[in-house]
Amino acid sequence: MNTNTEVRSSALAFTRETAAQKVRMAEDGWNSRDPQRVSLVYTLDSQWRNRTEFPQGRAEIVEFLTRKWAKEHDYRLIKELWTFDHNRIAVRFAYEWHDDSGQWYRSYGNENWQFNANGLMELRYASINDLPIKETERKFFWPLGRRPDDHASLSELGL
């Protein structure tokens, strides 16, 4: 039996609207920079690929995010729905941050997500590239936390 068919038939099916809502909720969570809060949207045994790390389960996700946000200061993220199908969503994103030396970066990437029937993410595969930028090249200036609804999207920013 095809396991992809089994997963798809037993799982929720996204519409364009519900997929876009899921993407915005994920963006809001990550912009909170609260590892515990973010971890709650993943299954207990969620599997990730994030650059060269492969966290498994909520405890490792919390550890990973804690390290990430200790390094990536003034982190601001925008996610945008790329496509969706049944219980899967593909997202593109960019975020800006600086390191301890004050060097700014814009990190670009794509994520592929798979959800279980309860709407929790069970798989997350991320590919990310970091581009050093000058502080004058920054585009994300809202106060830390949730991106304002009227702030430009990635597409509107030409990213």
Side-chain angles (χ1 to χ4, degrees):
M1 214 182 274
N2 182 335
T3 57
N4 282 343
T5 304
E6 290 176 33
V7 169
R8 289 180 180 194
S9 66
S10 67
L12 71 150
F14 288 108
T15 65
R16 177 161 296 284
E17 181 181 348
T18 60
Q21 288 170 349
K22 198 70 140 175
V23 171
R24 183 56 194 247
M25 288 188 302
E27 176 188 314
D28 292 348
W30 281 64
N31 276 327
S32 77
R33 294 171 300 139
D34 179 343
Q36 194 63 41
R37 173 185 168 189
V38 172
S39 75
L40 296 177
V41 303
Y42 300 96
T43 60
L44 292 174
D45 60 349
S46 185
Q47 296 179 22
W48 283 22
R49 185 192 72 219
N50 196 94
R51 298 177 194 230
T52 61
E53 294 192 56
F54 299 84
Q56 291 193 338
R58 285 186 186 165
E60 289 185 20
I61 290 169
V62 168
E63 290 172 15
F64 170 84
L65 293 173
T66 300
R67 285 192 321 274
K68 172 186 177 59
W69 289 319
K71 173 189 168 192
E72 297 177 353
H73 305 290
D74 292 319
Y75 175 96
R76 290 170 177 84
L77 163 75
I78 300 176
K79 290 185 182 278
E80 190 170 277
L81 176 65
W82 187 252
T83 192
F84 66 97
D85 184 43
H86 300 282
N87 67 327
R88 294 182 176 153
I89 295 176
V91 174
R92 67 188 199 96
F93 63 87
Y95 60 92
E96 294 180 347
W97 58 283
H98 68 85
D99 63 17
D100 287 334
S101 74
Q103 172 62 59
W104 281 92
Y105 296 88
R106 185 171 304 118
S107 299
Y108 297 95
N110 299 291
E111 293 176 318
N112 296 312
W113 302 341
Q114 181 173 294
F115 296 86
N116 70 8
N118 295 320
L120 296 176
M121 194 181 304
E122 56 191 2
L123 299 174
R124 175 185 174 268
Y125 301 117
S127 298
I128 307 166
N129 298 296
D130 300 318
L131 175 68
I133 60 173
K134 297 176 185 171
E135 187 169 4
T136 57
E137 296 175 298
R138 291 179 54 213
K139 296 179 183 279
F140 303 171
F141 291 104
W142 66 87
L144 289 177
R146 187 178 194 278
R147 176 175 54 101
D149 290 335
D150 62 350
H151 190 280
S153 67
L154 291 179
S155 293
E156 292 165 339
L157 290 169
L159 300 174

